[in-house]
Amino acid sequence: MAGDNTDVHHHKEYTGSLTEPEDSWAKQLFSRRLIFVMGKGGVGKTTVSIALGKAAVRYKKKVLLLEIGDTDAIGSIFNKKILTEVPLKLSANIWGARVNPKAELTAYTKAYVNSGFIANRITKSRLFDYLAEATPGLKEVMCLGRIWRWERSKSEQLENTFDLIIVDAPATGHALSLLRLPDVLINMIRGGPLVTQIRRLQNLFKDHRKTCILLVTLPEELPANEAIEFYCLAQDELHMQVAATFINCVYPLLFDDGDVLQIKHMKDQHDKNLPNPHHAILETALRQIKRRNIQQIYIDRIRSKTTSHVKEIPFYFTNDLSLSEIEELL
Amino acid sequence: MIDRISDPDGPKIIVCCGSGGVGKTTLSAAIGLYGALSGKKTIVLTIDPARRLADALGLTDFNVDAQRVPIEQISDITRPFDGQLYAMMLDPKRTFDHLISRYAPADLQDIIFKNRYYQHLSNNMAGSHEYMAMEKLYEIYHQDKYDLIVLDTPPSRRALDFLEAPDKLLNLLGNNFFLKMFKPYLHAGRFGMRVFNILAFPVLRAVGKVIGSQVLDDLAGFMQLWNDVLFEGFSRRAETVKNLLSSNMTLFLAIATPQHLPMTEAVFLYEKLRQNNMPFGGFVINRVHVGGGNMAIIDTDRLGMAELFHNESADPKLTEKLSITYKNYQKMSESDARAINALIKKIGPSVDIMQMPIEEGEIAQLNDLVRLSRRF
């Protein structure tokens, strides 16, 4: 029957669906240490982060999925509890954690203040709470510091280390201020151990062999424009590399121009009669053609305005992708 | 639920909440138009409209004043009406600057504008967007120029942010809290501002060592100004807005699409509002793939496309594509229906839920907004 060829089965060895250039592209992508998955709210960053993690595992990587936004989605998708700052094993070679800036700041202060007595006094004081909340960017710096420490842990050969850290970033605005922060802070803070650490972060983020950004977007006006804008910012201002732009929820391209003419003709025939199944089917097809045409405008725009690898992720016609469906996305 | 707007004694403020990407801005504009078309002088306060929608509303990047939307030009409207529609773009940085120039003494304005902490606060700090939306709401409400204000809340992953952020920010910058806490650490410095006396206190010395003493100085300078000059006005206005939002003049709408995350956020919002006895209007579920109504559910497998189109000259490849497309749509509409049923199960049948069918085209013209508003 007609629908059979839409059910793709590739659970076993995952090699078949990747073409050779894609395969070498993926190899290169997963040879990095740090991937920031960025995009506007609602474009599917979390789903793509998980799909990427799953794909990286196929390339023999041990992956840490890092949640730094304000929602706890990753844990529940894996049917596990809400992630904490301690990495939790989610599935084979995939771990998940959440950055907790306050805990990080506490640990950091204890590490840098020599006297344990004073360090305790600091971290337990209301002043500390206050500074943690109110100091511009301090929480974000702690977030970044945590990422950096996980990155470092591999070369320092600590017990739980990861080949690849995938950061499910908050929505673009916040994520942008996060990535801008090292540059901003270098100008703000004149001295102290934080400056040294921020410089290291800067170096890590701007090292294209180690760190990259993956943009996730939709083939719609706002997300597409925002992605293009962010792409330019990343290149010109952040000097970070955008390794790819993933266009999510792309409708299948089924009908050619001849089909469209035929459908319109058939619909005209039926319009003369009462609504019937034919009408609903034809109407649905025309709507989807219209939608797909609009999507193409934004796909073309993204392709023409970015020089990074562009990948279209097909729409699955469901609100709740299962974990195995997510695995098949990339 | 939205039709309560047309009642002369209906709500005066509509707050559209929802997580990012659910179509808040477009719906806010459509709700505003609905208000205008029911004869009210309406203003839509919006944050980040898509370019073409912004054009349709007459909004540009460089203009933060209220713009009159030429609704008399809408071709579909025949009956006479005396409503008006205005739209205004919210820009946190400009709103903040505007407030400073309005409320701070002239000789201090420059110092504030140059303070790096202020620059950060007005641009980036979590909560500042939401706080500014509140300020604008206060200003417009007290101008008393409009019958209806529709507020599109800032883009955020969490629908609750709008409610919580101003409180958080005010707690942070709370009344004299800063001074009480820092009094022992401060001493008189330049410009009459107190500066941290870092050397004298081991705790601050250690903190300064970690984050840099410059940051502490900037922070101290800003907090000093904040306390002396701005806090009272800010907190009084925030209090007024909070009361306004809790009164029956306001109606909150939880906007979502049928996906898991937006739905969860909308339910959180609803629960939060209910706990605080705040006025909840209902859920608007946007972009629903409607199954019933004029879209017949057809079992294409059972019916057989070939049979269905047996007297057509359509080639079998085309009918197969049509079948795939229709099945996909059915799958999607079933998924949407599941999500909405789960919502009803969670909140009970007494809460209003409005479903907005998905539009395959873009909403870029006033006429499109009219079409949307007819569904209310």
Side-chain angles (χ1 to χ4, degrees), chain A residues 46 108 122 126-127 130-131 133-134 136 193-194 221 254 259 262 270 278 284 291 298 316-317 319, chain B residues 51-52 117 120 157 172 177 182 206 209-210 223 295 308 312 318 321 331 335-336 358 360 362:
Chain A
T46 302
Y108 182 84
I122 293 177
R126 281 180 77 197
L127 177 71
Y130 184 84
L131 285 172
E133 258 329 295
L194 211 53
E221 185 187 358
L254 281 173
D259 293 339
Q262 230 182 21
H270 288 288
H278 297 71
T284 305
R291 172 144 219 189
Y298 295 107
Y316 264 57
F317 295 95
N319 291 307
Chain B
R51 184 76 272 140
R52 294 171 61 203
Y117 188 75
H120 180 86
R157 206 155 170 184
L172 201 62
F177 171 69
F182 283 83
K209 202 173 142 194
V210 174
M223 298 311 269
M295 297 301 297
L308 197 57
E312 307 284 343
L318 178 61
K321 290 176 190 173
K331 184 180 166 204
S335 177
D336 284 358
I358 187 161
E360 300 302 342
E362 290 179 306

Side-chain angles (χ1 to χ4, degrees), chain B residues 219-291:
Chain B
L219 185 61
F222 177 76
M223 298 311 269
Q224 185 62 39
L225 284 165
W226 175 269
N227 263 288
D228 292 355
V229 182
L230 299 166
F231 178 76
E232 218 186 287
F234 274 84
S235 61
R236 197 186 53 243
R237 289 191 297 280
E239 201 54 41
T240 314
V241 171
K242 264 173 69 185
N243 290 336
L244 195 60
L245 292 179
S246 307
S247 75
N248 58 6
M249 262 183 291
T250 303
L251 210 56
F252 280 88
L253 300 178
I255 300 177
T257 47
Q259 285 113 34
H260 177 73
L261 190 75
M263 288 294 237
T264 312
E265 289 304 328
V267 172
F268 277 152
L269 176 82
Y270 161 71
E271 281 164 356
K272 184 87 175 175
L273 289 170
R274 210 177 45 166
Q275 279 162 22
N276 293 297
N277 282 318
M278 291 175 87
F280 183 71
F283 291 86
V284 181
I285 311 303
N286 201 12
R287 301 196 197 124
V288 178
H289 296 74
V290 187

